[in-house]
Amino acid sequence: MTERHPPQDCADMATLRQQIDQLDRELIARLAERASYIDRAIELKTENGWPARIPARVEEVVMNARTTAEATGLDPDLIETIWRQLVDWSIAREARVIREE
């Protein structure tokens, strides 16, 4: 893992890009971890006869992401767009296994 530097301590573009690339790797690792929880959700939904898409939960997840974005100073509309795509991907993955497609 590369040593983390705050943005203001990056003296040149090479260092800045290195930091961004490291953050990207960490984000991808966290998304892979999230996907493993989706795999478990598939098992539980299958056992309980639940559908892949549960609209109230979708909205809860998206609103949680918006709230977190607002609290950290990120654009909540951007985060909502990203999260809806992430949730849609997750539901499609669940549906393939649950055979709802």
Side-chain angles (χ1 to χ4, degrees), residues 17-82:
R17 287 176 178 155
Q18 182 181 34
Q19 295 297 300
I20 291 169
D21 291 346
Q22 179 61 37
L23 284 169
D24 287 349
R25 287 188 292 275
E26 292 171 19
L27 285 168
I28 291 166
R30 294 307 301 257
L31 288 170
E33 181 181 2
R34 187 183 191 283
S36 71
Y37 284 91
I38 298 304
D39 291 342
R40 180 63 179 139
I42 291 168
E43 294 170 359
L44 293 171
K45 286 179 177 182
T46 300
E47 290 171 12
N48 290 290
W50 295 348
R53 181 177 295 276
I54 300 173
R57 177 60 181 154
V58 169
E59 293 311 310
E60 180 183 14
V61 169
V62 171
M63 290 305 108
N64 288 343
R66 283 187 66 88
T67 299
T68 301
E70 289 170 355
T72 59
L74 282 173
D75 178 355
D77 293 334
L78 170 64
I79 296 305
E80 179 174 346
T81 298
I82 292 168

Side-chain angles (χ1 to χ4, degrees), residues 4-16:
R4 183 67 50 89
H5 300 289
Q8 65 273 14
D9 290 351
C10 296
D12 54 50
M13 285 303 293
T15 303
L16 186 67

